[in-house]
Amino acid sequence: MEHVNPGGLGSPPASISVGEEIYALAERLFPICRSITGDGVRRTLDILSGHIDLERHEVPTGTQVLDWTVPREWNIRSASITGPDGQTVVDFADSNLHIVNYSVPFTGILPLNELKAHIHTLPEQPQVIPYRTCYYAPTWGFCMAYDRVAKMSDGLYRVEIDAELKDGSLTYGEYLHCGRTEREFLLSAHICHPSLANDNCSGLALLATLAKSLKARKTRYSYRFLFAPGTIGSITWLSRNEDRTHLIDHGLVLSCVGDAGSPAYKRSRRGEAFIDRAMAHVLRREAGAKLMDFSPYGYDERQYCSPGFNLPVGMFQRSVHGTFPEYHTSADNLDFIKPEYLEDSFRILTDVIDIVEDDRTPLSLCPKGEPQLGRRGLYAALGGQASSGATSMSLLWVLNLADGQHSLLSMAERSGLPFRELAAAARLLSDHGLLAAAS
Amino acid sequence: MEHVNPGGLGSPPASISVGEEIYALAERLFPICRSITGDGVRRTLDILSGHIDLERHEVPTGTQVLDWTVPREWNIRSASITGPDGQTVVDFADSNLHIVNYSVPFTGILPLNELKAHIHTLPEQPQVIPYRTCYYAPTWGFCMAYDRVAKMSDGLYRVEIDAELKDGSLTYGEYLHCGRTEREFLLSAHICHPSLANDNCSGLALLATLAKSLKARKTRYSYRFLFAPGTIGSITWLSRNEDRTHLIDHGLVLSCVGDAGSPAYKRSRRGEAFIDRAMAHVLRREAGAKLMDFSPYGYDERQYCSPGFNLPVGMFQRSVHGTFPEYHTSADNLDFIKPEYLEDSFRILTDVIDIVEDDRTPLSLCPKGEPQLGRRGLYAALGGQASSGATSMSLLWVLNLADGQHSLLSMAERSGLPFRELAAAARLLSDHGLLAAAS
Amino acid sequence: MEHVNPGGLGSPPASISVGEEIYALAERLFPICRSITGDGVRRTLDILSGHIDLERHEVPTGTQVLDWTVPREWNIRSASITGPDGQTVVDFADSNLHIVNYSVPFTGILPLNELKAHIHTLPEQPQVIPYRTCYYAPTWGFCMAYDRVAKMSDGLYRVEIDAELKDGSLTYGEYLHCGRTEREFLLSAHICHPSLANDNCSGLALLATLAKSLKARKTRYSYRFLFAPGTIGSITWLSRNEDRTHLIDHGLVLSCVGDAGSPAYKRSRRGEAFIDRAMAHVLRREAGAKLMDFSPYGYDERQYCSPGFNLPVGMFQRSVHGTFPEYHTSADNLDFIKPEYLEDSFRILTDVIDIVEDDRTPLSLCPKGEPQLGRRGLYAALGGQASSGATSMSLLWVLNLADGQHSLLSMAERSGLPFRELAAAARLLSDHGLLAAAS
């Protein structure tokens, strides 16, 4: 699979589906120990740069970003606990989830009971490792399977955390696909989680693949792809781009897009923004799809939808974060995501992009009575049948609502017909001189 | 039943219900072979003219009507197929559904396989004849029971269609009941279907009977009754009356009003026009009644509700066209409609006319606190009972909502009480000086 | 229970719950024979004056009040029927429900069949006495258990009604708790029913106790408590306070607040007034709570919501009047109400007062992105957990919606979180300088 090798820029062999392409990319991102700063983010951006021309930003520690300050940069080389018997109890090398992300460096010997105050487990899921962070607290900790901790005998344990917290920078990547206008569609995924496949190797890989697929397409909108650490990353971007946010007409945050759950969309704070209506339309016939109202808890839509910005940015995922047992544990691994689900998520995004690109407010040039479709070859010549079929219905709906007050998406909402079909009908009617040139 | 004889102008005997009167008229219309043009329409208007003073219009072939052109006039004398054995296989004289409506004249001898390309059947209903048309295509065809066709043996068949397609005119009829104002209620039924009882002998007979019944009534609105061929007829009328359409405040298209199905109303394109609200009110307590949103497929509401007119015209029917097996087949015969259902449809229309006529926005002359109804004899003197009954409730609702912002129909919608009861309450309160003169 | 003795002004012993306090007060009000005028109302106000500083009004007979006239004052000393055998059949001394309220004085001897025209029973509840009135009709009558009447044998009966109808006055009581503003919350209960415990000793006792509890509280709104006879009393108050009604921002009519039924709220005529929304919020999680649209039948909300006033006054009760078998009968006695239900009603009212008092439209001082709650000690330092719990959610919701367009009640409606929790969050955020001073 040459295309996913480092630096490999060629197209994938035709035999590989887009779902497999996304999966392969997620697979490469998975092992890296990411955090909100540090070399893990940079290595991740290196790999993504093999697919798209990423612009990379480094924002120094101490920079004021809105109400926040860019923290010291964190890097870790190794971390382990050695037992009274000299055996290694837990080793960062086995799983980067073992260390509480942003743990301060520490070397010392502790009795078990003191050590336990630094160990996090999930008693209800005794075999999996939880994921924990301590970004803004000067502490350290380990995450372990509950069963493993239960077997630890009394005695003195040696802890070694070879980490580094020092002035450096926060790193994020950005890619802009330029369209005919500078109005933007923002697509954003958090890049700060270590080895969690769905949350969010899936989102990173999907976005990069989508960005790559847009290269060949001339679009009306410009598409901005943002790969930044959660919370502090989007806050940093907003802080540095306050004067550009008015250009954002549509936006989506992506996370957890590779699991078997049905697709889910969380509306923007506005609730009825175009992106909210377009996503609702795309998901309306997906079995089990969930539409949720905005709430200020979740991913970076929290920042984009803060009241001072109030951008039309929703959030797309499959299983809803915090509701599936694999969430934020070692069970969110490469078995938990599948090419077919990644592909389904990819299709949903391209469908919504098609709506954003193709929506028009057509104007009928023959608004009084129906035009005679038959003499234009647009209608079954033999009347009197029970149904004229879906295509005829699309033509009739577009003609009936082409009063300058209804966009194609409004028509889709009112008629219950697919946007795609109405867009096709509008093209056909334009070709026959029945609609004015698109506005 | 003298009143339904040709030219009979007398009133029906009192012993005949209005449902029976409508049925008898539909019965007379049934045998005629109608089309969008031709003598069948004229004969139908002749019969309707026995009930109301119809104005008849003849619009010449070739006349441009909006996007359409009045076609050549079609008339047919006979049509048949004779089999290899000299026996008549099918004869227009048995049922005018046997010929595809608007078939071109044709005489010839064809082998069965070629002939079959011109024969339409309904395999899923093997004993009934379908109804088909070819208005704007120069072709011909027959409609037959599938079982009959299955028995046709190989060989040569003689086809004779003695029809005529030549310059002539499109015919429609119109009747205007003049009210106190020139604001109009348009009632329209298509006159183009041959021997189909429900679709639309029922609508034609109901409209004519309703028009006749209005003669004796002084009305606020003017009522325009239109008997015109589907699509091309309403387009012709709209084309010739563009400058009058602004007078139409309410409108209904009628079709399939005689079968056993529950009443159904399809809203106008506006969705919340007065006629939409009034019909919803009338149907709200009818068991099984259906309220449907506008769609641009159906009868002539398609034309009245085209975006350049956007008239407040809905459609009333019983079983929804295209959803019952008898639709557009020989099973839509005189057994399929019944006087009781025609009478029920008649009552629904008179109920909606009552709302249109009687709606007012009353203004209370005693808006502060309730007026003392008791001393005016409007209230049970003995208080303390659990309910004062519906009549008292109507009085209280009208008084409470008579703030100049609520019409009687609004009050009916908010209170859930019948319009009729609120209108009666408003009259009573006006008589007692509690409401200002009607606006 | 010293606190409920006449003139007893001390606080109840701490061991008595507020529900028991309200019940004890209702118990003292129960025996009194009240009507829309007369000494029963005055004795009731005497008892309530033991709790709050009531202002008492006497409005003379013949005074014009809106469309009504204050009637002659009614008082009754005794009433009885003596049978042919000299035995007392029915005696007002046993129950003041026995006499039709406002019966004219009468002494006479009647045969049973004539007497029966004056006797009211409930055949479907043969053992209870109905409650009837004849305020504005010069008649008389008795109310009796159906079973008792069934046992009356033919013969002559002696009727004695020692009542008095003469010029006097209509009496009502009023208490104003002054807040920081003169904008008012009106709380109104009818005082005209005789020995009916739920309807409305419960409402009178609850209102007086609530008024007393407000004494110690500094409030933003002024609270007006009105104890007036039904219909004519509120009409009298409105007539004398027309120039003050514009001060009423919120209002509730209280009746039947002591039975086991679930709480019920009937919206004001406006339907979406603040009180309607606040009551809906308080009742949203009460099991079985009922929210009903306004209708012009019920208690004094009919007058407050008449179109000339259209005040934002709803009605609170438990079992809906007219729907429970005890309603307006002798079964609505002191066993029918319970301290626990009175206490629940009291709590609902204090909850709604808290919303009225505490509602604010906060403005975020940090609207761009989320403020960093962690460094302010407002957030769990260790991230990555599935849920941050309800308190964190309140903080996030308030921050997200503090755009000057959302009051705390709007936030509660949108978030689904309790008002109380959001108000606490707003206080906390204000304390940390994240919200502007309350508007």
Side-chain angles (χ1 to χ4, degrees):
Chain A
M1 288 193 290
E2 186 193 23
H3 69 290
V4 292
N5 287 343
L9 290 166
S11 293
S15 60
I16 291 195
S17 73
V18 68
E20 286 163 340
E21 185 183 350
I22 301 166
Y23 185 87
L25 179 52
E27 211 171 16
R28 292 183 58 212
L29 302 175
F30 183 74
I32 300 168
C33 179
R34 279 166 293 267
S35 182
I36 53 173
T37 61
D39 291 331
V41 175
R42 293 189 190 96
R43 279 203 298 279
T44 300
L45 293 176
D46 285 345
I47 293 174
L48 297 177
S49 293
H51 288 66
I52 43 171
D53 236 8
L54 272 185
E55 186 178 2
R56 192 179 298 199
H57 303 268
E58 298 281 351
V59 184
T61 297
T63 305
Q64 183 75 18
V65 286
L66 302 178
D67 187 58
W68 301 59
T69 307
V70 173
R72 286 186 296 165
E73 181 175 329
W74 183 71
N75 283 292
I76 184 162
R77 272 174 295 270
S78 64
S80 63
I81 301 173
T82 312
D85 56 2
Q87 299 277 316
T88 300
V89 176
V90 63
D91 191 338
F92 169 75
D94 297 333
S95 166
N96 55 39
L97 297 183
H98 275 317
I99 191 74
V100 169
N101 202 294
Y102 250 72
S103 284
V104 296
F106 181 79
T107 306
I109 294 176
L110 293 84
L112 181 60
N113 64 333
E114 276 182 44
L115 176 61
K116 279 194 171 171
H118 290 270
I119 297 182
H120 305 275
T121 62
L122 289 172
E124 67 278 19
Q125 293 171 270
Q127 299 181 331
V128 306
I129 312 163
Y131 162 60
R132 293 284 184 273
T133 70
C134 61
Y135 299 141
Y136 300 96
T139 184
W140 59 267
F142 284 82
C143 298
M144 296 175 62
Y146 179 83
D147 282 353
R148 181 65 194 85
V149 176
K151 288 183 195 139
M152 288 166 76
S153 51
D154 276 346
L156 293 173
Y157 287 78
R158 174 174 182 80
V159 173
E160 280 199 288
I161 303 178
D162 181 8
E164 197 173 66
L165 257 173
K166 63 171 189 187
D167 284 357
S169 61
L170 175 150
T171 311
Y172 68 89
E174 194 172 12
Y175 170 72
L176 183 67
H177 168 86
C178 287
R180 288 195 302 280
T181 73
E182 61 172 5
R183 306 302 307 174
E184 289 187 13
F185 191 145
L186 173 70
L187 294 131
S188 172
H190 61 275
I191 200 169
C192 51
H193 286 190
S195 293
L196 297 168
N198 201 33
D199 183 12
N200 196 21
C201 296
S202 71
L204 298 170
L206 175 51
L207 268 204
T209 307
L210 184 66
K212 194 170 112 183
S213 79
L214 277 183
K215 276 189 206 163
R217 182 168 174 178
K218 289 194 194 310
T219 57
R220 178 159 66 151
Y221 280 88
S222 295
Y223 290 77
R224 183 176 300 278
F225 294 82
L226 186 58
F227 305 88
T231 305
I232 186 70
S234 53
I235 282 172
T236 299
W237 186 86
L238 284 165
S239 177
R240 292 157 59 99
N241 293 276
E242 272 197 59
D243 58 342
R244 295 192 58 78
T245 56
H246 71 278
L247 293 173
I248 297 173
D249 281 344
H250 318 289
L252 284 175
V253 169
L254 262 74
S255 175
C256 305
V257 293
D259 65 279
S262 299
Y265 177 70
K266 172 178 161 182
R267 294 184 184 89
S268 77
R269 181 181 186 269
R270 299 186 186 182
E272 301 247 346
F274 188 89
I275 187 67
D276 300 322
R277 295 167 50 210
M279 283 299 293
H281 180 71
V282 170
L283 296 189
R284 81 200 186 295
R285 285 180 186 169
E286 304 284 330
K290 294 173 286 295
L291 287 176
M292 299 170 292
D293 280 331
F294 176 78
S295 91
Y297 187 70
Y299 292 100
D300 284 330
E301 70 279 6
R302 292 161 69 160
Q303 310 309 327
Y304 302 124
C305 295
S306 58
F309 292 110
N310 196 25
L311 298 176
V313 177
M315 196 260 284
F316 175 62
Q317 59 188 353
R318 300 186 71 87
S319 289
V320 174
H321 63 276
T323 67
F324 53 96
E326 295 84 356
Y327 178 72
H328 277 194
T329 75
S330 55
D332 180 1
N333 57 32
L334 287 167
D335 293 334
F336 186 56
I337 64 172
K338 295 271 186 300
E340 63 201 87
Y341 308 129
L342 291 163
E343 180 147 348
D344 187 61
S345 297
F346 182 88
R347 178 192 54 76
I348 286 167
L349 288 183
T350 53
D351 281 357
V352 86
I353 288 174
D354 285 348
I355 294 178
V356 162
E357 287 293 316
D358 295 345
D359 195 44
R360 298 284 185 280
T361 298
L363 195 64
S364 172
L365 296 174
C366 185
K368 294 196 170 178
E370 286 175 13
Q372 195 180 3
L373 297 178
R375 77 163 194 264
R376 295 173 174 92
L378 294 172
Y379 210 56
L382 195 75
Q385 286 164 310
S387 161
S388 294
T391 304
S392 293
M393 283 311 289
S394 308
L395 293 171
L396 292 176
W397 272 110
V398 171
L399 285 168
N400 190 271
L401 294 179
D403 57 2
Q405 307 299 314
H406 295 84
S407 80
L408 292 174
L409 180 57
S410 310
M411 295 181 190
E413 291 169 337
R414 180 155 179 186
S415 68
L417 297 178
F419 177 90
R420 186 189 314 271
E421 211 171 298
L422 293 158
R427 277 191 297 274
L428 194 59
L429 292 167
S430 291
D431 292 348
H432 282 81
L434 288 167
L435 296 183
S439 65
Chain B
M1 290 195 289
E2 183 191 25
H3 69 293
V4 292
N5 288 341
L9 290 167
S11 292
S15 61
I16 291 196
S17 73
V18 69
E20 285 163 339
E21 184 183 351
I22 300 166
Y23 186 87
L25 179 50
E27 211 170 15
R28 291 184 58 214
L29 301 176
F30 183 74
I32 300 168
C33 180
R34 278 166 294 269
S35 182
I36 54 173
T37 61
D39 290 331
V41 175
R42 292 186 191 99
R43 279 203 300 279
T44 300
L45 293 176
D46 285 344
I47 292 173
L48 298 177
S49 293
H51 288 67
I52 44 172
D53 236 6
L54 272 187
E55 187 178 358
R56 191 178 299 200
H57 303 267
E58 298 281 353
V59 184
T61 297
T63 304
Q64 183 75 17
V65 286
L66 302 179
D67 187 57
W68 302 59
T69 307
V70 172
R72 286 186 296 166
E73 181 176 328
W74 183 71
N75 283 291
I76 184 164
R77 273 175 295 268
S78 65
S80 64
I81 301 174
T82 311
D85 55 1
Q87 298 276 317
T88 300
V89 176
V90 62
D91 191 339
F92 169 76
D94 296 331
S95 165
N96 55 40
L97 297 183
H98 276 316
I99 192 76
V100 170
N101 202 294
Y102 249 72
S103 283
V104 296
F106 181 80
T107 305
I109 294 175
L110 292 83
L112 181 61
N113 63 333
E114 278 182 43
L115 176 60
K116 277 192 172 172
H118 289 270
I119 297 182
H120 304 274
T121 63
L122 290 173
E124 68 276 21
Q125 293 171 273
Q127 299 180 330
V128 307
I129 311 164
Y131 162 59
R132 292 284 184 274
T133 69
C134 61
Y135 299 142
Y136 300 97
T139 183
W140 60 268
F142 284 83
C143 298
M144 295 174 63
Y146 179 84
D147 281 353
R148 182 65 193 85
V149 175
K151 287 184 195 138
M152 288 165 76
S153 51
D154 278 346
L156 293 174
Y157 286 79
R158 174 174 181 80
V159 174
E160 281 199 289
I161 304 178
D162 181 9
E164 197 172 65
L165 258 174
K166 62 172 190 185
D167 285 357
S169 60
L170 177 151
T171 311
Y172 68 87
E174 194 172 11
Y175 170 72
L176 183 68
H177 168 86
C178 288
R180 288 196 302 281
T181 72
E182 60 172 4
R183 307 302 308 174
E184 289 187 11
F185 191 147
L186 173 71
L187 294 131
S188 172
H190 62 274
I191 201 168
C192 51
H193 284 190
S195 293
L196 297 169
N198 203 32
D199 182 14
N200 195 22
C201 294
S202 71
L204 297 170
L206 176 49
L207 267 204
T209 307
L210 185 68
K212 193 170 113 183
S213 79
L214 276 183
K215 276 190 207 162
R217 183 168 174 181
K218 287 192 194 311
T219 57
R220 181 160 61 151
Y221 280 87
S222 294
Y223 290 77
R224 184 175 300 278
F225 295 82
L226 186 58
F227 305 88
T231 306
I232 186 70
S234 52
I235 283 173
T236 298
W237 187 86
L238 285 165
S239 176
R240 292 157 59 98
N241 293 277
E242 272 197 59
D243 58 340
R244 293 192 60 78
T245 57
H246 71 278
L247 293 173
I248 297 173
D249 281 346
H250 318 289
L252 283 174
V253 168
L254 262 76
S255 174
C256 305
V257 293
D259 65 278
S262 299
Y265 177 69
K266 172 178 161 182
R267 294 184 184 91
S268 76
R269 182 180 184 270
R270 299 185 186 184
E272 301 247 346
F274 189 90
I275 187 68
D276 300 322
R277 296 166 51 210
M279 282 298 294
H281 180 73
V282 171
L283 295 190
R284 82 200 184 294
R285 285 182 185 167
E286 304 284 331
K290 295 171 286 294
L291 287 176
M292 300 169 290
D293 281 330
F294 176 77
S295 91
Y297 188 71
Y299 291 101
D300 283 332
E301 69 280 6
R302 295 161 66 159
Q303 310 309 328
Y304 302 125
C305 295
S306 57
F309 292 109
N310 196 24
L311 298 176
V313 177
M315 197 260 285
F316 175 61
Q317 59 188 353
R318 299 184 74 87
S319 288
V320 175
H321 63 276
T323 67
F324 52 95
E326 295 84 357
Y327 178 73
H328 277 193
T329 76
S330 55
D332 180 1
N333 57 33
L334 287 166
D335 293 333
F336 186 57
I337 64 173
K338 294 270 185 303
E340 63 202 88
Y341 306 128
L342 290 162
E343 180 147 349
D344 188 60
S345 296
F346 182 88
R347 176 191 56 74
I348 286 167
L349 288 182
T350 53
D351 281 357
V352 86
I353 287 174
D354 285 348
I355 294 178
V356 162
E357 286 294 317
D358 294 344
D359 195 45
R360 297 286 186 278
T361 298
L363 194 64
S364 173
L365 296 174
C366 185
K368 294 193 170 182
E370 285 174 16
Q372 194 180 6
L373 297 179
R375 78 163 193 265
R376 294 172 174 93
L378 294 172
Y379 211 56
L382 195 75
Q385 287 164 309
S387 161
S388 295
T391 303
S392 293
M393 282 310 290
S394 307
L395 293 170
L396 293 176
W397 272 110
V398 171
L399 285 167
N400 190 271
L401 294 179
D403 57 2
Q405 307 299 314
H406 295 82
S407 79
L408 293 174
L409 180 57
S410 309
M411 296 181 187
E413 290 168 335
R414 180 156 180 185
S415 69
L417 296 178
F419 178 91
R420 186 190 314 269
E421 212 171 298
L422 294 159
R427 277 190 296 273
L428 194 60
L429 292 167
S430 290
D431 293 347
H432 283 79
L434 287 167
L435 296 183
S439 64
Chain C
M1 291 194 289
E2 183 194 23
H3 70 290
V4 293
N5 288 341
L9 290 167
S11 291
S15 61
I16 290 195
S17 73
V18 69
E20 286 163 339
E21 184 183 352
I22 300 166
Y23 186 88
L25 178 51
E27 211 171 14
R28 293 184 56 214
L29 301 176
F30 183 75
I32 301 168
C33 180
R34 280 166 293 268
S35 182
I36 54 172
T37 61
D39 290 331
V41 175
R42 293 186 190 98
R43 281 204 299 279
T44 300
L45 294 175
D46 285 345
I47 293 174
L48 298 177
S49 293
H51 288 67
I52 44 171
D53 237 8
L54 271 186
E55 185 178 1
R56 190 179 298 201
H57 303 267
E58 298 280 353
V59 184
T61 296
T63 305
Q64 184 74 18
V65 286
L66 301 179
D67 187 60
W68 301 60
T69 307
V70 172
R72 287 185 296 167
E73 182 176 328
W74 183 72
N75 283 291
I76 185 164
R77 274 176 292 269
S78 65
S80 63
I81 301 173
T82 311
D85 55 1
Q87 298 278 315
T88 299
V89 176
V90 63
D91 192 339
F92 169 76
D94 296 332
S95 166
N96 55 40
L97 297 183
H98 276 317
I99 192 74
V100 169
N101 202 295
Y102 251 73
S103 283
V104 297
F106 180 80
T107 306
I109 294 176
L110 292 82
L112 181 60
N113 64 334
E114 278 182 41
L115 176 60
K116 278 192 170 171
H118 289 269
I119 297 183
H120 305 276
T121 62
L122 289 172
E124 69 278 21
Q125 293 170 272
Q127 299 180 331
V128 307
I129 311 164
Y131 162 59
R132 292 284 183 275
T133 70
C134 60
Y135 299 142
Y136 301 97
T139 184
W140 59 267
F142 283 82
C143 297
M144 296 176 63
Y146 179 83
D147 282 352
R148 181 65 194 88
V149 176
K151 289 184 194 136
M152 289 166 76
S153 51
D154 277 345
L156 292 173
Y157 287 79
R158 175 172 180 81
V159 173
E160 281 199 290
I161 303 178
D162 182 9
E164 198 173 66
L165 256 174
K166 62 170 189 189
D167 284 356
S169 60
L170 175 151
T171 312
Y172 68 88
E174 192 170 14
Y175 171 71
L176 183 67
H177 168 85
C178 287
R180 290 196 300 281
T181 73
E182 62 171 4
R183 306 303 308 176
E184 289 188 11
F185 191 148
L186 173 70
L187 294 130
S188 173
H190 62 273
I191 201 169
C192 52
H193 285 191
S195 293
L196 298 169
N198 202 32
D199 181 15
N200 194 21
C201 294
S202 70
L204 298 170
L206 175 50
L207 268 204
T209 307
L210 184 67
K212 194 170 112 182
S213 79
L214 277 182
K215 275 189 205 162
R217 182 168 177 179
K218 287 193 195 312
T219 56
R220 178 160 65 151
Y221 280 87
S222 294
Y223 290 76
R224 183 175 300 277
F225 294 82
L226 186 58
F227 305 87
T231 306
I232 186 71
S234 52
I235 282 172
T236 298
W237 186 86
L238 284 165
S239 176
R240 292 157 59 98
N241 293 277
E242 271 197 60
D243 59 340
R244 294 192 59 76
T245 56
H246 72 278
L247 293 173
I248 298 173
D249 281 345
H250 317 289
L252 283 174
V253 169
L254 261 75
S255 174
C256 306
V257 294
D259 65 280
S262 300
Y265 177 68
K266 172 178 161 182
R267 294 185 184 90
S268 77
R269 181 180 185 272
R270 298 186 188 184
E272 301 248 345
F274 189 89
I275 187 68
D276 300 321
R277 295 168 49 209
M279 284 299 293
H281 181 73
V282 170
L283 296 191
R284 82 201 184 293
R285 285 180 186 172
E286 304 284 331
K290 293 172 287 293
L291 287 176
M292 299 169 291
D293 280 330
F294 176 78
S295 90
Y297 188 71
Y299 292 100
D300 284 331
E301 70 279 7
R302 292 162 67 159
Q303 310 308 326
Y304 302 125
C305 295
S306 57
F309 292 109
N310 196 24
L311 298 176
V313 177
M315 196 261 283
F316 175 62
Q317 58 188 353
R318 298 186 73 87
S319 287
V320 175
H321 64 275
T323 68
F324 52 94
E326 296 83 357
Y327 177 73
H328 278 192
T329 75
S330 55
D332 180 0
N333 57 33
L334 287 166
D335 293 334
F336 186 58
I337 64 173
K338 296 271 184 299
E340 64 202 87
Y341 307 129
L342 291 162
E343 181 146 349
D344 188 61
S345 297
F346 182 88
R347 177 191 54 76
I348 286 167
L349 288 182
T350 53
D351 280 357
V352 86
I353 287 173
D354 285 348
I355 294 178
V356 162
E357 287 293 317
D358 294 345
D359 195 45
R360 296 288 186 278
T361 298
L363 195 64
S364 173
L365 296 174
C366 185
K368 294 194 170 180
E370 285 175 13
Q372 194 181 4
L373 297 177
R375 76 163 196 266
R376 294 173 175 93
L378 294 172
Y379 211 55
L382 195 74
Q385 286 164 308
S387 162
S388 294
T391 304
S392 293
M393 282 310 291
S394 308
L395 293 171
L396 292 177
W397 271 111
V398 171
L399 284 168
N400 191 270
L401 294 180
D403 56 3
Q405 307 298 314
H406 296 84
S407 80
L408 292 173
L409 180 57
S410 310
M411 294 181 189
E413 290 169 337
R414 180 156 178 185
S415 69
L417 296 177
F419 178 91
R420 186 189 315 268
E421 210 171 298
L422 293 159
R427 277 190 297 273
L428 194 60
L429 292 167
S430 290
D431 292 348
H432 281 81
L434 287 167
L435 296 182
S439 65

